[in-house]
Amino acid sequence: MTGPLSSSSHQEQLRSKLRVFHDLLQTSPYTEGAGSVGVTMPVDCTNDNKIEKNASEENRQDDVKQALESVQVALSALGVLPPQQTTDNSSSSRSNDVWKRNIPFHLYQSPQNTTSLTTLLPLKHLPPHAKIYRTFSDDANDHHALVEVWTPSLSDGGNDDVHSRPLQGNLSSKLVEYTRGAMGVRRPFRPGGMTMNDMEEYESMSLVQEEDSTREGVEQFLSEEAVTRAREGLIKSSKLGWEDGTLITAPPGVSFDVGLSYEDVFVVEDGEVVTRRGGDGGSESNGMVDDAEGGGGAVGGGPESLTLPGKAHFATSVPASTMFDKSYFDDDSLFGESSVGSSSDEDDDEGSLENSAGDESVARRQVVDVTNEKMASLSLNDSSTVDEVDLLLSEINDTLQSPIDQSRKSMESAAPVIHPPINVEKSNTDNNKSPSVRKSWAVTEYIPITTNSDFHTLLPNPALTFPFELDDFQKQAVLRLERSECVFLAAHTSAGKTVCAEYAIALAMKHCTRAIYTSPIKALSNQKYRDFRNKFGDDVGLITGDMQIGADGSCLVMTTEILRSMLYRGADLIRDIEWVIFDEVHYINDSERGVVWEEVIIMLPDYVNLIFLSATTPNTIEFSEWIGRTKRKPVHVIRTNYRPVPLSHNLWAGLKLHKLMEGREGFNPKGYAEAAKALLPLSVRAAQDDKAKGVKGKAAPPTIKPSSKPGSQQGSKQDWLSLARYLEREGLMPTVVFSFSKKKCEEIANMLRSLDLNTAAERSLVQSFTIQTVARLSPVDSNLPQVIATCEMVKRGIGVHHGGLLPILKEMVEILFSRNLIKILFATETFAMGVNMPARSVVFNSIRKHDGVQFRELQPGEYTQMAGRAGRRGLDKVGTVIICCFGSVPPDQVVLRNMLTGSSTKLQSQFRLTYTMILNLLRVEDMSVEGMIKRSFSEFATQRALTTNDYPKLLTRGTKTLSKLDEEFKSDSDSRIGAEDIEEYYFACKDVLSWNNNLISYLLSSGGTGGAGGTGGGALVTGRILLVTSSRKQHGYVRAPAIVLRAPLASTSKSGATSPGTTVICMVLLPEGFTLSDDDSQSRDLKLGDLNYVGKSYDRNFVIHEIEVSHIFLVSSLKAKIDSKVFFQESSKKGPGLSLSSPFAGAKSIKSRQDDDPFAGMVARGKKAPVQSKPTGLSQEAQLVDEAMSHLIKTEAVEKNTGVELLDLRDCAKNMHQGNQEMEFRHSFDALERATALAREFQSHYHPNLEKHYTTVDRKETLRSRVMALRHLLSNESLQLFPDYLQRKSLLQKLGYIDENDTVCLKGRVACEVNTCESLIVTEMVFEGMLSELEPTEIVALLSALLFQEKSDEELDSELPQRLVSSCERMRGIAVYLGEKQKECGLPVDPLEYAATSLKMGLIHVVYEWACGVPFSSICELTDVQEGSIVRCITRLDELCREVRNCARVVGNPTLYRKMEAASEAIKRDIVFASSLYVA
């Protein structure tokens, strides 16, 4: 204590008065608790004179005044206040000056950004790598005790900035960093931080004191008082700590009413402290509560949220097990910027885990964490480092064993079981351990609903009510929609999936948002528009390629292509979307348009909720997993095999039905046999009946072979009339007859002209409706043959529905059929795609169809889709399905059984890259082309395998380890005297090993000397001396001499195929100085003849090893004569045990059994025993070992001096090949000779400690190659379509669509406007000025070649204008040119085939005449293409004209813009653009 004290008497007077002041503070009623602030007396004041404690009250008040004056004097003496006069007159002025005095600068200086040397941490949560500074408990088993640990041992050496690094994993650091910044971190729980003296004292502490914390003289960083206060702070909230001075401020943005308490981080249960993990579940509003709302609130996530005083606990009807927090899945990100360092627990997805398994997984994760820290502090000189690196290499090798195939195999083999829900992680009070938490994006947990009242209780105010009782799966879907959750509903056709879509639309209207309903075909869009408009009124809109109705409605019906265009353009209505409904999702399997579904799902914003309606598919869970993983939100899968109306499957044979299967019953072979018998001629059936009864008669007539006439299997007119009358008689109408040919539908319908199925009243209704429909057409169009024939046909209750029908006639047929005015309808497969037209029965004309490539039988999914139209809910008890058998034999029984009982078609990705997609994605910033590929369904299995196998975690570990190994290798350069070129030598040896491996593998596979698995033409014959390198093998060695004991053996697979062997048994000379370690007890127990036996001779060691062919460094021309059976016995490798695969593995060969003669030691009577040679002191076995060792040692000496002579492998390959193969083999051997000579030029080749240095480099470079492989797998280069993307991008750069910086140029912007056809061809035509030179009528005729898809006559009519004909040839030339450019860029495109598939000239003349004003009836005579196909082409042509008009606007060509408007007006007339019956 220093200060300007005048004299010793003055000091005594000061101490006496301070003592009085101290006693007054202890006894005064208004100063209770003052001692707790830490006021203490100086040590040398304890012997001063004492003041009487019984003084009067008046004297006590005087003493207080004197004590205050003395305190001021003391402060002056301590240097806080300047010396002043102590008179009574100046007492009050001095008191005022005290509080007016400026506070010293160092008391309020800003905290410095430094890190504390030590911090407090509970012993139970102490990391394995943490360094303890000191403990505060004598009981080593007290896991609740606090310990003081060195802070640097908890970090990974990264950035220690408090504001940029995450908090440490203990409450002490969290509280201090939040409350006091860096100053508080350095000295926790000290109000006021550090003074300047403390700073100087702290900075003077060296790093030696950190490592040797027990050395005397080192000031303890935390006193006992500070530790006590720290423990008090751990169990206090922030508010209490602030009030008593433990904490001086609150965390940023946090209210003291909420605070951060000990219970917020640690939960005490049954005497055990369990860490509470934040963010695992809970609602999205789990943040801090604002002060304005009052004190308290729910803190943290979890199912059991903390409830603070003064706040009502948030109540919700959603069960805790079904509440999801987006942060719960943050570590599962596939597409984040930091995916390399992320981890995933998705390896739990493939099976259920018990508690014990969960404990093991937790232990494994802890081991991985410890390994991560150990990897950061590797040392090449430490023996444990070698094991660490080898362990890491082993883990990487295991994960690189075709992980994608393993993941896909596990997905395919996994049964479609119901996955358990995503449970929020809780504390396991029984075992005090964290239970295993499974994460699955596809959730199949059902909300428990036992009675109908439960449903109404959970949904008291529904957005939409239905006039019927909902099925269970519909209730589940409605409840999920009320919670704004994504739903995948898979159910049979006509099961009622539309209920889910209608409820979502009602929710959108209730919430004043939008719902988008997408469909795969335009016909379904029109029908749904009519249905929704009838249900929801005028707030429903329709957007198609040629019309927009009610675009501002809450519900918009559109095709998926329209929605994709809106997403690429960034339409404003996307911001208002709450629900998007994908109907008929199984249409994603379509090879042409399936990619559109994936694009839309990927590009939709995250806030949009998705609903998927699909038929039953076997991989619904996998598809939902992809959706959830892509959109980062769970998808609730609701599947049901329930069919409201069961189906009865029958064969029509012999004018009657034969039941094959009904409901859930199995296949009925008896019904099939009866049908097959009914198809036989009467005489054959009678003969079979007589034979079965045992009646002898005339010989049975010969069996009639099945007729092969073209129409015999399709049925005659009489066959169809009989079937139609049967259906009418049995009450099985209305009926849908599926025929897979447009022409056949027309033919069968014409066969029934004599049949009238409608009553007089029904005919009147039909006639009235047809008159109204035809009235929409012009007088000329109303007399079209197709219009007249269709109107006449529907009056008799017969209809036709296929793509060749005019759109307005098709809609007329659909409406009449829905009103039960058409009794039998002949339709193609498109009628079953989503059009909700159920019937009483369904008839299949045939079960064979043409899929565009070949004829084949129907797949189970296709059959189920069409057969599901049978059975009207509420009207029919059973839906009847009939398969017609008009031939002499029914379809094959195996085919029928598979079609009826087989699994549905799996959802498969049809994702592919298009030029329009690439250009559109290059224009936007939210997503890249690589991101689109990575998110596609085709890459789902690959990306999931990458995260499941912890590739990012392994890559991080490998990168850190490799960096450390490189640093250690550079630092140890002084120890490699004479081996400075060891790295260059290593790579040279790798070349030698590679060439040898290729040559020897070729010799073994080419059948040299004994075929596959032989000696390779004598190269690996027994006794051949080799040089082998296997540095990281047990007892590693480099260019060590070895003698072949057994040539490679051929292996036979289960299929019987023989493959050459890849290993050879050798006797290898170990390096000098090798000693067998004491830990290697296994090698000591072996004997000569066993594999891995280690022996000794001539003071050198050898080992019997199995060497990979890839480890052979050199095949010498030397051979040694040895008895290989002495050194290696085949049974020693296989072991004494017998296996089921080779029960005679341990049996001896015939020769061996002959050698083991049981009478070998006996002498025949009358014979003399042979004379035994005298022993030489060594056994015969030892002599053979010495001879072999002499060869090896001699070879080693020769290699170190002049080099061992190579065996000419070209001689071994004689008569194995000829021509190019022989030339390539010779070239490879020449390269081997050059590589061997190069390796021998390095001085490291002759270094005595070569093995040590070589192993170091080998381990380092092997790890480098594994890290590069991991980095490749995690990069975009591993994507399946990435090479295709690079090739297409290269083409776009060559053509000028994008520049070298991937910026979209003017041509690219023009190509983005074209979506209906090949955008590159249209863009080239625009920039070459072809379209500007033509008239509008010629332009539309030319563009029709890009849209027409059917096969027809490709020859151009001579009546066309010459300018149009020449333009067609120029367009064909552009297509060929683009095909050639694509081929040059590496794309598998044939230029002529590309031009032929992109351009079809069949309707150029027809469209030209139509644009010129020719009536539709006249243009139909110009081609044999059906009317419906013509209308569809012209309709799409109008959309293409609008796209080309936009191209002209982008380019700035007003002439072309006006011509395209005129062209569009020229084709928009009459029947082609007649208004839809659904819309009007």
Side-chain angles (χ1 to χ4, degrees):
M1 182 180 297
T2 61
L5 298 180
S6 58
S7 62
S8 59
S9 62
H10 183 78
Q11 294 181 13
E12 293 177 359
Q13 183 182 3
L14 174 63
R15 293 191 181 101
S16 176
K17 293 183 178 182
L18 285 177
R19 181 62 179 176
V20 174
F21 178 68
H22 180 268
D23 294 341
L24 288 174
L25 289 177
Q26 297 295 330
T27 58
S28 178
Y30 48 83
T31 57
E32 289 183 5
S36 62
V37 299
V39 179
T40 57
M41 298 296 295
V43 177
D44 55 355
C45 290
T46 56
N47 295 325
D48 291 343
N49 297 327
K50 298 182 180 180
I51 308 299
E52 293 293 332
K53 295 183 180 181
N54 298 324
S56 62
E57 187 66 21
E58 293 78 11
N59 296 333
R60 193 176 297 273
Q61 294 295 335
D62 296 335
D63 293 336
V64 170
K65 293 181 180 180
Q66 295 178 5
L68 289 176
E69 295 177 357
S70 301
V71 169
Q72 295 179 10
V73 175
L75 293 176
S76 300
L78 294 174
V80 178
L81 295 177
Q84 296 184 11
Q85 299 295 329
T86 58
T87 62
D88 296 337
N89 296 332
S90 61
S91 176
S92 60
S93 62
R94 284 200 311 270
S95 178
N96 294 332
D97 293 338
V98 170
W99 310 116
K100 292 180 181 179
R101 191 183 189 284
N102 294 330
I103 303 175
F105 174 77
H106 67 272
L107 294 182
Y108 61 90
Q109 62 182 343
S110 59
Q112 296 189 16
N113 192 9
T114 55
T115 307
S116 173
L117 273 182
T118 63
T119 187
L120 295 179
L121 190 68
L123 184 60
K124 182 177 181 61
H125 300 283
L126 189 66
H129 53 274
K131 298 180 180 180
I132 299 177
Y133 176 72
R134 62 171 175 168
T135 60
F136 305 100
S137 177
D138 297 334
D139 187 4
N141 298 324
D142 185 8
H143 299 289
H144 305 286
L146 291 175
V147 294
E148 189 175 357
V149 296
W150 292 103
T151 303
S153 65
L154 300 177
S155 62
D156 55 358
N159 185 10
D160 288 333
D161 188 0
V162 176
H163 303 288
S164 61
R165 63 184 174 87
L167 295 177
Q168 299 293 342
N170 59 86
L171 182 58
S172 172
S173 298
K174 290 180 181 179
L175 291 176
V176 172
E177 289 187 36
Y178 267 128
T179 55
R180 300 189 206 151
M183 182 180 291
V185 171
R186 301 187 55 177
R187 189 157 290 196
F189 301 105
R190 283 197 179 183
M194 302 183 69
T195 63
M196 292 299 295
N197 295 334
D198 294 332
M199 286 291 296
E200 296 175 357
E201 177 184 354
Y202 171 76
E203 292 174 354
S204 63
M205 299 177 64
S206 62
L207 294 178
V208 179
Q209 295 173 342
E210 177 183 342
E211 299 176 356
D212 188 12
S213 60
T214 60
R215 189 176 60 180
E216 295 183 1
V218 178
E219 179 183 358
Q220 291 186 350
F221 191 70
L222 292 178
S223 63
E224 294 294 335
E225 179 185 356
V227 173
T228 303
R229 298 176 63 81
R231 300 195 62 165
E232 292 176 358
L234 288 174
I235 59 177
K236 293 179 182 179
S237 65
S238 298
K239 182 177 181 181
L240 296 178
W242 172 70
E243 290 176 349
D244 64 9
T246 305
L247 301 178
I248 63 174
T249 184
V254 179
S255 169
F256 275 119
D257 292 335
V258 177
L260 182 63
S261 64
Y262 179 82
E263 289 77 13
D264 294 341
V265 181
F266 299 99
V267 180
V268 180
E269 294 177 349
D270 298 336
E272 294 290 333
V273 179
V274 182
T275 303
R276 184 187 297 277
R277 296 179 60 184
D280 292 348
S283 63
E284 294 180 359
S285 58
N286 59 351
M288 297 300 181
V289 184
D290 191 77
D291 288 341
E293 300 177 359
V299 181
E304 300 174 356
S305 299
L306 298 178
T307 305
L308 299 177
K311 281 290 181 179
H313 185 59
F314 176 76
T316 179
S317 61
V318 184
S321 59
T322 58
M323 296 173 62
F324 298 93
D325 184 6
K326 190 173 182 179
S327 62
Y328 176 75
F329 300 102
D330 284 346
D331 64 338
D332 191 35
S333 175
L334 259 183
F335 319 114
E337 297 298 332
S338 60
S339 60
V340 174
S342 64
S343 62
S344 176
D345 295 329
E346 286 206 5
D347 52 344
D348 295 337
D349 290 346
E350 303 301 331
S352 60
L353 299 176
E354 301 295 336
N355 287 337
S356 59
D359 298 339
E360 293 176 1
S361 64
V362 172
R364 286 196 298 270
R365 286 194 294 270
Q366 293 176 353
V367 171
V368 172
D369 295 338
V370 174
T371 307
N372 290 340
E373 297 298 334
K374 290 183 178 179
M375 289 296 106
S377 59
L378 287 175
S379 175
L380 288 177
N381 297 326
D382 190 359
S383 61
S384 62
T385 301
V386 177
D387 298 334
E388 298 283 358
V389 178
D390 290 341
L391 176 61
L392 178 59
L393 287 172
S394 177
E395 292 182 21
I396 297 177
N397 288 333
D398 292 341
T399 55
L400 289 177
Q401 297 296 325
S402 61
I404 300 172
D405 297 337
Q406 295 176 4
S407 177
R408 287 176 175 169
K409 184 177 180 181
S410 62
M411 289 182 186
E412 296 174 356
S413 61
V417 298
I418 301 299
H419 285 204
I422 305 178
N423 296 323
V424 182
E425 186 170 344
K426 303 179 181 180
S427 298
N428 192 339
T429 58
D430 297 333
N431 300 327
N432 293 324
K433 296 179 181 179
S434 299
S436 60
V437 180
R438 299 188 55 239
K439 291 162 53 176
S440 175
W441 296 108
V443 185
T444 55
E445 181 194 33
Y446 282 2
I447 300 174
I449 301 176
T450 56
T451 61
N452 192 31
S453 60
D454 295 341
F455 172 71
H456 294 294
T457 301
L458 294 173
L459 191 63
N461 299 314
L464 179 65
T465 58
F466 299 91
F468 51 86
E469 182 66 25
L470 298 180
D471 294 331
D472 290 341
F473 75 92
Q474 294 171 334
K475 294 178 181 178
Q476 295 288 335
V478 168
L479 292 176
R480 294 298 181 185
L481 296 183
E482 278 287 347
R483 300 173 182 181
S484 299
E485 296 172 346
C486 298
V487 173
F488 190 110
L489 181 57
H492 286 296
T493 305
S494 302
K497 298 187 291 292
T498 310
V499 169
C500 182
E502 292 177 350
Y503 198 86
I505 296 172
L507 282 175
M509 294 181 176
K510 179 180 178 181
H511 300 158
C512 299
T513 56
R514 291 179 184 265
I516 304 296
Y517 183 94
T518 66
S519 63
I521 55 179
K522 182 181 177 182
L524 181 58
S525 298
N526 294 336
Q527 181 192 357
K528 289 300 181 182
Y529 169 74
R530 184 195 64 174
D531 296 342
F532 292 154
R533 189 178 179 86
N534 293 336
K535 192 174 188 67
F536 298 103
D538 297 337
D539 203 12
V540 178
L542 175 66
I543 301 178
T544 60
D546 55 352
M547 70 174 66
Q548 286 190 8
I549 303 174
D552 297 330
S554 297
C555 173
L556 295 179
V557 182
M558 62 184 69
T559 58
T560 316
E561 283 82 358
I562 298 296
L563 180 58
R564 178 186 62 173
S565 300
M566 290 182 177
L567 290 171
Y568 277 133
R569 295 197 310 268
D572 293 336
L573 66 86
I574 300 297
R575 298 195 301 266
D576 303 331
I577 298 177
E578 181 183 6
W579 299 96
V580 173
I581 304 158
F582 295 91
D583 198 3
E584 307 294 339
V585 179
H586 48 270
Y587 204 81
I588 197 174
N589 290 336
D590 185 78
S591 58
E592 293 295 328
R593 300 171 57 203
V595 61
V596 180
W597 270 256
E598 296 190 49
E599 287 184 77
V600 172
I601 292 173
I602 294 171
M603 290 190 298
L604 278 173
D606 293 339
Y607 57 81
V608 177
N609 297 317
L610 308 179
I611 301 175
F612 302 90
L613 308 179
S614 172
T616 54
T617 54
N619 62 334
T620 304
I621 297 295
E622 180 187 1
F623 189 77
S624 301
E625 286 272 358
W626 167 69
I627 298 171
R629 193 183 187 92
T630 303
K631 307 311 297 180
R632 310 300 299 157
K633 59 176 64 176
V635 177
H636 293 267
V637 180
I638 302 175
R639 298 184 304 176
T640 177
N641 291 323
Y642 167 73
R643 190 182 291 275
V645 181
L647 299 181
S648 174
H649 306 270
N650 305 270
L651 284 176
W652 172 256
L655 303 180
K656 60 182 299 187
L657 296 180
H658 304 273
K659 186 179 297 185
L660 293 179
M661 191 174 69
E662 182 172 348
R664 297 186 178 182
E665 299 176 359
F667 188 82
N668 183 17
K670 184 178 179 181
Y672 178 84
E674 292 176 354
K677 183 178 180 181
L679 293 176
L680 295 175
L682 183 60
S683 58
V684 177
R685 278 185 286 168
Q688 290 182 355
D689 293 340
D690 294 341
K691 184 177 180 180
K693 295 178 181 179
V695 179
K696 296 182 180 180
K698 298 180 180 179
T703 303
I704 300 177
K705 297 182 180 180
S707 176
S708 59
K709 294 182 180 181
S712 60
Q713 299 294 333
Q714 300 295 329
S716 62
K717 178 179 180 180
Q718 186 61 36
D719 293 333
W720 284 106
L721 285 173
S722 300
L723 177 59
R725 293 192 179 99
Y726 177 85
L727 295 173
E728 183 182 17
R729 182 173 64 252
E730 297 296 329
L732 296 178
M733 290 184 176
T735 301
V736 178
V737 179
F738 284 106
S739 181
F740 305 105
S741 170
K742 302 175 185 177
K743 183 179 180 182
K744 194 62 183 177
C745 289
E746 300 280 355
E747 291 178 357
I748 299 175
N750 292 329
M751 292 179 185
L752 304 180
R753 287 181 179 178
S754 60
L755 203 61
D756 191 352
L757 303 176
N758 279 341
T759 63
E762 292 173 339
R763 281 195 298 273
S764 177
L765 293 175
V766 172
Q767 185 174 5
S768 175
F769 185 75
T770 56
I771 291 175
Q772 296 177 12
T773 302
V774 175
R776 295 171 176 266
L777 306 178
S778 64
V780 178
D781 293 335
S782 61
N783 293 323
L784 288 173
Q786 191 180 77
V787 175
I788 297 175
T790 303
C791 292
E792 187 276 333
M793 192 182 301
V794 296
K795 293 178 183 178
R796 295 181 286 106
I798 301 173
V800 176
H801 187 283
H802 55 74
L805 208 63
L806 291 171
I808 191 171
L809 297 181
K810 192 187 300 183
E811 293 176 351
M812 181 185 70
V813 171
E814 293 172 1
I815 294 174
L816 290 175
F817 184 80
S818 63
R819 297 178 180 177
N820 201 18
L821 296 177
I822 291 181
K823 300 302 187 296
I824 183 169
L825 178 64
F826 297 92
T828 55
E829 187 178 3
T830 55
F831 184 79
M833 182 57 69
V835 180
N836 188 16
M837 301 289 178
R840 175 69 177 84
S841 61
V842 168
V843 177
F844 286 90
N845 177 37
S846 174
I847 61 171
R848 289 178 60 84
K849 60 172 288 189
H850 194 273
D851 58 1
V853 179
Q854 60 182 358
F855 282 97
R856 60 171 176 81
E857 281 76 16
L858 290 178
Q859 297 177 355
E862 298 170 336
Y863 175 81
T864 303
Q865 180 75 16
M866 290 180 280
R869 297 297 167 190
R872 298 165 298 177
R873 187 168 188 175
L875 298 176
D876 305 323
K877 293 183 178 180
V878 177
T880 305
V881 183
I882 302 173
I883 301 174
C884 294
C885 302
F886 294 123
S888 56
V889 292
D892 187 77
Q893 182 176 354
V894 177
V895 175
L896 286 175
R897 184 189 296 270
N898 177 65
M899 190 174 63
L900 269 62
T901 62
S903 60
S904 303
T905 306
K906 294 179 58 177
L907 295 176
Q908 297 179 347
S909 175
Q910 303 295 332
F911 186 83
R912 69 181 188 280
L913 290 176
T914 61
Y915 294 107
T916 303
M917 181 195 303
I918 294 174
L919 291 171
N920 279 313
L921 291 176
L922 290 177
R923 294 179 65 184
V924 301
E925 298 179 356
D926 296 338
M927 185 176 299
S928 62
V929 181
E930 297 90 339
M932 176 70 77
I933 300 174
K934 192 179 295 184
R935 289 167 169 82
S936 66
F937 187 40
S938 60
E939 291 287 340
F940 170 64
T942 304
Q943 299 300 320
R944 185 181 184 184
L946 294 180
T947 54
T948 302
N949 288 276
D950 288 336
Y951 280 20
K953 195 178 287 186
L954 284 175
L955 178 59
T956 303
R957 291 174 52 195
T959 304
K960 291 181 179 179
T961 305
L962 182 61
S963 176
K964 194 66 177 179
L965 290 178
D966 288 336
E967 293 178 1
E968 293 288 345
F969 183 79
K970 292 179 180 179
S971 62
D972 293 345
S973 58
D974 296 339
S975 63
R976 294 190 298 271
I977 300 177
E980 291 82 1
D981 56 359
I982 186 62
E983 287 189 295
E984 293 80 2
Y985 173 73
Y986 170 80
F987 291 110
C989 291
K990 294 290 289 185
D991 292 339
V992 177
L993 292 171
S994 177
W995 285 115
N996 260 312
N997 182 35
N998 295 337
L999 293 172
I1000 297 176
S1001 298
Y1002 175 80
L1003 292 175
L1004 294 175
S1005 60
S1006 298
T1009 311
T1015 62
L1020 299 180
V1021 69
T1022 301
R1024 175 72 65 187
I1025 297 180
L1026 313 172
L1027 294 184
V1028 295
T1029 296
S1030 183
S1031 60
R1032 292 189 297 111
K1033 194 179 180 69
Q1034 184 184 16
H1035 317 314
Y1037 33 80
V1038 180
R1039 54 116 178 90
I1043 299 178
V1044 177
L1045 303 178
R1046 194 210 64 188
L1049 297 179
S1051 59
T1052 304
S1053 62
K1054 295 182 180 180
S1055 60
T1058 302
S1059 58
T1062 59
T1063 60
V1064 57
I1065 305 298
C1066 295
M1067 175 184 178
V1068 185
L1069 179 65
L1070 293 177
E1072 295 185 48
F1074 171 82
T1075 56
L1076 194 62
S1077 63
D1078 298 335
D1079 298 335
D1080 196 356
S1081 58
Q1082 183 178 1
S1083 300
R1084 297 180 184 274
D1085 297 336
L1086 300 176
K1087 63 180 184 302
L1088 186 63
D1090 294 337
L1091 194 63
N1092 298 326
Y1093 167 76
V1094 178
K1096 191 172 185 180
S1097 177
Y1098 292 112
D1099 295 330
R1100 294 290 298 274
N1101 293 276
F1102 67 91
V1103 65
I1104 308 299
H1105 265 178
E1106 187 175 17
I1107 305 297
E1108 296 283 343
V1109 173
S1110 58
H1111 293 165
I1112 297 179
F1113 180 79
L1114 183 147
V1115 181
S1116 71
S1117 60
L1118 304 176
K1119 289 176 61 178
K1121 295 183 178 180
I1122 60 172
D1123 187 359
S1124 61
K1125 297 179 182 178
V1126 175
F1127 298 91
F1128 174 73
Q1129 299 177 4
E1130 192 65 29
S1131 59
S1132 64
K1133 178 183 177 182
K1134 297 181 179 180
L1138 298 178
S1139 62
L1140 296 178
S1141 60
S1142 56
F1144 303 103
K1148 297 182 179 181
S1149 62
I1150 297 296
K1151 182 178 180 181
S1152 299
R1153 284 181 290 191
Q1154 290 176 351
D1155 293 340
D1156 297 341
D1157 188 359
F1159 305 101
M1162 301 180 63
V1163 181
R1165 183 177 298 175
K1167 299 287 186 178
K1168 293 184 179 180
V1171 179
Q1172 300 290 340
S1173 59
K1174 296 182 180 181
T1176 59
L1178 291 176
S1179 63
Q1180 183 178 3
E1181 190 176 85
Q1183 292 179 6
L1184 295 175
V1185 170
D1186 290 345
E1187 292 178 3
M1189 284 293 290
S1190 63
H1191 289 294
L1192 295 177
I1193 296 174
K1194 181 180 179 182
T1195 303
E1196 182 184 45
V1198 172
E1199 177 63 24
K1200 288 184 178 181
N1201 295 328
T1202 60
V1204 178
E1205 181 183 359
L1206 273 70
L1207 175 65
D1208 193 346
L1209 297 180
R1210 291 171 293 190
D1211 297 337
C1212 301
K1214 289 181 179 179
N1215 303 324
M1216 288 189 187
H1217 48 229
Q1218 57 184 357
N1220 293 335
Q1221 292 183 348
E1222 183 177 2
M1223 295 297 297
E1224 292 177 2
F1225 188 86
R1226 290 182 176 275
H1227 172 73
S1228 299
F1229 183 76
D1230 294 340
L1232 171 63
E1233 288 183 321
R1234 292 192 297 269
T1236 305
L1238 178 63
R1240 285 172 171 171
E1241 292 179 0
F1242 291 97
Q1243 59 180 351
S1244 297
H1245 185 72
Y1246 310 98
H1247 198 278
N1249 293 328
L1250 173 61
E1251 290 78 10
K1252 174 184 175 182
H1253 303 309
Y1254 188 94
T1255 304
T1256 301
V1257 178
D1258 185 28
R1259 182 174 287 104
K1260 177 171 62 73
E1261 296 302 326
T1262 303
L1263 179 59
R1264 191 186 309 278
S1265 63
R1266 299 295 186 269
V1267 168
M1268 292 177 62
L1270 285 174
R1271 187 175 288 112
H1272 172 76
L1273 285 176
L1274 292 173
S1275 65
N1276 294 328
E1277 297 178 359
S1278 64
L1279 299 176
Q1280 184 178 1
L1281 293 177
F1282 190 73
D1284 182 63
Y1285 164 60
L1286 295 180
Q1287 294 165 355
R1288 291 179 182 270
K1289 189 173 71 170
S1290 174
L1291 173 67
L1292 294 175
Q1293 290 177 346
K1294 289 182 177 180
L1295 297 178
Y1297 288 75
I1298 58 177
D1299 59 13
E1300 61 277 2
N1301 298 323
D1302 294 345
T1303 303
V1304 180
C1305 303
L1306 180 60
K1307 293 181 71 174
R1309 292 167 54 196
V1310 171
C1312 290
E1313 300 292 334
V1314 182
N1315 296 308
T1316 55
C1317 61
E1318 284 290 334
S1319 58
L1320 297 185
I1321 298 179
V1322 175
T1323 304
E1324 295 297 327
M1325 292 169 60
V1326 170
F1327 276 86
E1328 288 190 9
M1330 287 179 52
L1331 303 181
S1332 301
E1333 301 170 357
L1334 302 177
E1335 295 297 325
T1337 55
E1338 297 171 342
I1339 292 176
V1340 291
L1342 184 67
L1343 294 179
S1344 66
L1346 294 165
L1347 298 175
F1348 184 59
Q1349 297 177 347
E1350 298 182 10
K1351 295 180 180 179
S1352 63
D1353 188 9
E1354 295 288 334
E1355 295 183 3
L1356 298 177
D1357 202 303
S1358 58
E1359 299 179 2
L1360 293 175
Q1362 184 61 34
R1363 183 170 55 183
L1364 178 58
V1365 175
S1366 60
S1367 297
C1368 291
E1369 295 300 327
R1370 289 180 60 187
M1371 182 172 61
R1372 194 190 302 273
I1374 290 176
V1376 174
Y1377 168 77
L1378 292 175
E1380 293 174 349
K1381 288 296 182 181
Q1382 293 181 76
K1383 187 176 182 180
E1384 292 176 2
C1385 293
L1387 291 168
V1389 175
D1390 180 73
L1392 296 179
E1393 184 179 355
Y1394 173 76
T1397 55
S1398 302
L1399 305 175
K1400 295 186 181 296
M1401 312 288 184
L1403 287 184
I1404 288 183
H1405 191 191
V1406 173
V1407 174
Y1408 177 75
E1409 296 294 339
W1410 174 255
C1412 291
V1414 178
F1416 190 80
S1417 57
S1418 300
I1419 66 171
C1420 291
E1421 298 175 358
L1422 299 176
T1423 180
D1424 56 353
V1425 179
Q1426 291 183 331
E1427 292 87 339
S1429 300
I1430 297 175
V1431 171
R1432 185 167 56 253
C1433 178
I1434 298 177
T1435 304
R1436 296 184 60 200
L1437 190 58
D1438 176 63
E1439 185 177 355
L1440 180 58
C1441 288
R1442 290 197 302 272
E1443 293 176 351
V1444 177
R1445 184 189 62 187
N1446 294 334
C1447 294
R1449 175 180 52 80
V1450 174
V1451 174
N1453 189 344
T1455 303
L1456 179 60
Y1457 187 91
R1458 289 190 294 268
K1459 285 186 176 182
M1460 296 312 304
E1461 285 186 331
S1464 179
E1465 293 296 330
I1467 61 176
K1468 293 179 66 173
R1469 61 182 178 87
D1470 296 344
I1471 192 172
V1472 176
F1473 286 88
S1475 60
S1476 173
L1477 297 179
Y1478 290 119
V1479 177

